[in-house]
Every structure is written in structure tokens, then in C-alpha cells.
Amino acid sequence: MGQRQRVVVQLALCFLTFGALLQAGVLAGDNPCAAGPPVDTNPAECCPTPMLVDGTIMMDCYKKYGEQTKKQLQMDGIPRGCCIAECAMNATNMYADGMLKRDDLSKMFMDAVKDKPEWMSLVRDATNACFELAEKKMDEIEAGAKLEPSFEGEKICHPISGTILRCMGMMMFAQCPASVFNVNENCNKLREYGSICPMI
């Protein structure tokens, strides 16, 4: 597996896991979402979802903030902003002052799947649903933006970018077209996990 693919895998698992933890709100022993996905299978092997953001940008942002994000995944309380996501939105000029440029971002997402007709309606609907989710969670998102660093070197990022990208990743995986989804035991377990621990 190449370095770029490894980063994509790690990001996918990060977003899947973080989405579940965000939904759960706690890390508890009796919480089926707390431990993350039940199998080590790469979600991209189950459903090769299109990359909505340029892979080179995501890889660069992962290199900058991957270790910080791993630490933050273990923290409880108000969900922290994902700096990998904010970094990517900054790099594509989609983010400014706690806001995403919704129309521009929608166009970027749709351009990413313009040659994949099986994904087009799903991505369009998911984009609308994820922005609606962000509106409902705005109080929590704004609270996350006001957190103070909790360990040396932690950068506090606004949660809006991570909320949208995590939601998109979760919805695209959960609604993976049948023509694309790889049916096997581990992939079925991963999809079941996504249905038990949904982002929305």
C-alpha cells in the first residue's frame, strides 16, 4: 500500500471513529461505539468512496496534524475541531472566520464526482444534509471553537470543517452504492458499525 493510500485509510478511520465518538458523546465501557470500528478492514476496500478534497492536500494536512488529532480522539467533553479538516478547507479557500463557503464547497464536491454518476445524487443530498446537521449543532460547534489548548502544542481549530467532512465521509460510506460496495464479512461488520454509530 502506498503512502498516499495509507493516509487516506487513516483519515477514513479517523473520520469514521471520530463521528461515532461525537455521536456517543462519551467513552464508556458499555458503549458499542467507544472502541471504534470492530474490524481493521480499510473502509476504502469496502467502499472506494471518491475523494472530495485533493489527496495531496489531505496528505499534507495529515502530516501536520495527524498526531494531534490522534490525541484529541481520546479526549472527552466538547468535541474538538479537526485541524486536518480545517487545514484542507484553508488550502482550498473554502474556509474563513468560522464559516465554510457552502456554494463553492458544494461545487467542489460535485466536481469531484462528475465522472462518477453513481455518486452524484448521493453527494448532492449528503452535502445538504451535512450543512443542515451543522446548523443543528452550531451551539456545540461554537463551544468547540472556544476551547483552550489542553496539551503542549495543541492548536485549536474551528469544528465546522471537521463536522462537514466527517459527515460527508460517514454518509457516503453508509449509503455506498450497491454497484460499488464490496460485500464480505468484515465490510458488512463495518457497515453495521456505521448504522449503530451514525454521525447523524
Side-chain angles (χ1 to χ4, degrees), residues 14 18 61-75 80-87 144 148-158:
C14 164
F18 198 83
C61 293
Y62 183 84
K63 285 177 182 173
K64 289 179 186 174
Y65 298 112
E67 290 305 313
Q68 169 175 296
T69 301
K70 288 176 191 173
K71 288 183 184 179
Q72 291 171 327
L73 288 174
Q74 304 304 316
M75 300 170 68
R80 305 178 98 71
C82 179
C83 289
I84 297 171
E86 183 172 295
C87 169
E148 296 292 327
S150 60
F151 54 84
E152 186 176 350
E154 182 184 18
K155 180 180 189 311
I156 299 298
C157 289
H158 196 288

Side-chain angles (χ1 to χ4, degrees), residues 60-136:
D60 289 344
C61 293
Y62 183 84
K63 285 177 182 173
K64 289 179 186 174
Y65 298 112
E67 290 305 313
Q68 169 175 296
T69 301
K70 288 176 191 173
K71 288 183 184 179
Q72 291 171 327
L73 288 174
Q74 304 304 316
M75 300 170 68
D76 55 10
I78 296 169
R80 305 178 98 71
C82 179
C83 289
I84 297 171
E86 183 172 295
C87 169
M89 293 296 94
N90 275 325
T92 51
N93 296 313
M94 295 293 163
Y95 171 83
D97 303 321
M99 296 290 291
L100 289 173
K101 301 173 185 175
R102 179 173 178 168
D103 290 345
D104 292 344
L105 192 61
S106 297
K107 183 179 184 309
M108 185 177 83
F109 287 168
M110 291 307 294
D111 283 347
V113 295
K114 65 184 178 186
D115 298 325
K116 298 177 173 64
E118 68 274 21
W119 286 99
M120 292 184 73
S121 62
L122 196 164
V123 168
R124 183 175 53 248
D125 293 347
T127 303
N128 291 330
C130 289
F131 272 97
E132 287 175 16
L133 170 74
E135 285 293 322
K136 290 176 186 170

Side-chain angles (χ1 to χ4, degrees), residues 128-175:
N128 291 330
C130 289
F131 272 97
E132 287 175 16
L133 170 74
E135 285 293 322
K136 290 176 186 170
K137 289 184 165 286
M138 197 50 70
D139 288 347
E140 184 179 274
I141 288 170
E142 292 298 338
K146 294 172 184 170
L147 291 170
E148 296 292 327
S150 60
F151 54 84
E152 186 176 350
E154 182 184 18
K155 180 180 189 311
I156 299 298
C157 289
H158 196 288
I160 187 66
S161 299
T163 299
I164 295 297
L165 288 187
R166 276 192 299 272
C167 175
M168 291 298 295
M170 293 288 284
M171 288 196 73
M172 289 171 70
F173 186 81
Q175 298 177 32

Side-chain angles (χ1 to χ4, degrees), residues 1 5-21 35-44 62 69 73 166 170 173 190 193:
M1 186 186 296
Q5 190 178 1
R6 269 198 300 276
V7 171
V8 172
V9 170
Q10 290 168 326
L11 283 170
L13 287 171
C14 164
F15 287 156
L16 283 170
T17 304
F18 198 83
L21 297 182
V39 293
D40 290 333
T41 302
N42 168 4
Y62 183 84
T69 301
L73 288 174
R166 276 192 299 272
M170 293 288 284
F173 186 81
L190 203 55
Y193 168 83

Side-chain angles (χ1 to χ4, degrees), residues 171-186:
M171 288 196 73
M172 289 171 70
F173 186 81
Q175 298 177 32
C176 185
S179 61
V180 176
F181 192 79
N182 181 18
V183 177
N184 63 44
E185 185 179 355
N186 281 356

